[in-house]
């Protein structure tokens, strides 16, 4: 079983995540209704554990013929937009293929550490189709990877939100599907 992970503040018992501001900053928007519905469901579930917000920035038009210089320009422009939206106080975690991998229990433990280090403000970042700029990646305290596979950003949002929600379920000792 998973032990209940709580902190006592004065006489008030805080469950994991209570009082946390968690933002998910993404490139592009969700156009299909089924993705928006999935994200909305996890936003509703997360509301019991944290103050969650999704922030979308406009994606750059990608030229048909894309050389490495053009790809770098796209990443840089999207990166500038992302950095404008990151709260200066936030502890930043980027989702990147080359990042650190966890299983669900390991991610739950890592979330506890991130919450402690963050002083209440956590920002997760998912880049566009060409990835993140060096500047955004450099701003991160942790680079997180879900897999060596590449996923569409719409699906990655849902996968991330499911694992974030699962991390709270694990940390509070609530049942979850293995």
């Amino acid at each position: 079983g998973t032990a209940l992970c709580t902190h006592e503040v004065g006489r008030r018992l805080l469950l994991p995540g209570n009082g946390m501001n968690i933002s998910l900053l993404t490139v592009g928007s969700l156009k299909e209704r089924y993705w928006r519905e999935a994200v909305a469901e996890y936003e509703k579930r997360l509301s019991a554990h944290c103050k969650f917000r999704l922030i979308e920035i406009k994606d750059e038009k990608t030229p048909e013929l894309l050389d490495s210089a053009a790809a770098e320009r796209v990443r840089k422009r999207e990166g500038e937009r992302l950095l404008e939206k990151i709260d200066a106080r936030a502890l930043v975690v980027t989702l990147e293929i080359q990042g650190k991998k966890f299983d669900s229990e390991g991610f739950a433990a890592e979330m506890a550490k991130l919450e402690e280090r963050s002083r209440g403000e956590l920002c997760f970042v998912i880049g566009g189709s060409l990835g993140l700029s060096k500047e955004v990646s450099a701003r991160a305290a942790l680079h997180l990877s879900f897999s060596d596979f590449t996923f569409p950003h719409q699906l990655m949002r849902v996968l991330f939100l499911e694992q974030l929600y699962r991390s709270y379920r694990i940390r509070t000792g609530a049942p979850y599907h293995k």
Side-chain angles (χ1 to χ4, degrees):
T2 304
L4 182 62
C5 179
T6 59
H7 303 283
E8 224 177 291
V9 177
R11 294 181 178 257
R12 204 167 50 124
L13 190 65
L14 293 179
L15 291 172
N18 283 3
M20 280 300 302
N21 292 311
I22 296 181
S23 51
L24 175 59
L25 183 52
T26 65
V27 174
S29 60
L30 296 178
K31 291 163 185 58
E32 295 87 354
R33 191 179 86 221
Y34 53 89
W35 292 126
R36 289 193 311 267
E37 288 172 353
V39 166
E41 177 61 28
Y42 283 107
E43 286 178 321
K44 185 175 78 179
R45 291 179 185 192
L46 284 166
S47 68
H49 303 282
C50 64
K51 293 178 192 90
F52 176 79
R53 33 183 215 144
L54 174 65
I55 305 164
E56 297 175 329
I57 64 122
K58 185 181 175 309
D59 54 345
E60 260 316 289
K61 291 278 185 242
T62 306
E64 200 62 38
L65 296 169
L66 190 70
D67 61 15
S68 62
E72 187 55 38
R73 281 193 299 277
V74 167
R75 280 191 295 273
K76 190 162 183 58
R77 285 188 198 119
E78 289 175 347
E80 289 166 356
R81 289 187 199 122
L82 288 168
L83 289 168
E84 284 175 13
K85 298 291 184 182
I86 296 174
D87 186 306
R89 300 164 298 167
L91 185 70
V92 177
V93 177
T94 54
L95 278 67
E96 302 184 47
I97 289 174
Q98 316 84 331
K100 187 171 182 181
K101 293 181 183 77
F102 297 94
D103 62 13
S104 294
E105 287 80 7
F107 180 61
E110 189 66 22
M111 275 299 298
K113 293 177 197 170
L114 289 168
E115 286 183 2
E116 202 170 292
R117 287 177 56 200
S118 72
R119 297 180 308 281
E121 201 69 44
L122 259 174
C123 179
F124 292 87
V125 182
I126 298 174
S129 60
L130 299 177
L132 293 166
S133 70
K134 293 183 293 264
E135 294 80 6
V136 173
S137 193
R139 176 71 172 78
L142 173 67
H143 308 281
L144 178 63
S145 175
F146 275 52
S147 171
D148 291 333
F149 286 114
T150 301
F151 295 107
H153 69 89
Q154 302 95 321
L155 178 58
M156 197 60 237
R157 286 186 204 190
V158 176
L159 287 172
F160 169 74
L161 291 174
E162 191 282 331
Q163 285 299 304
L164 181 61
Y165 175 68
R166 183 179 296 258
S167 78
Y168 285 119
R169 301 289 291 179
I170 291 168
R171 291 166 53 207
T172 58
Y176 68 99
H177 296 290
K178 291 188 177 195

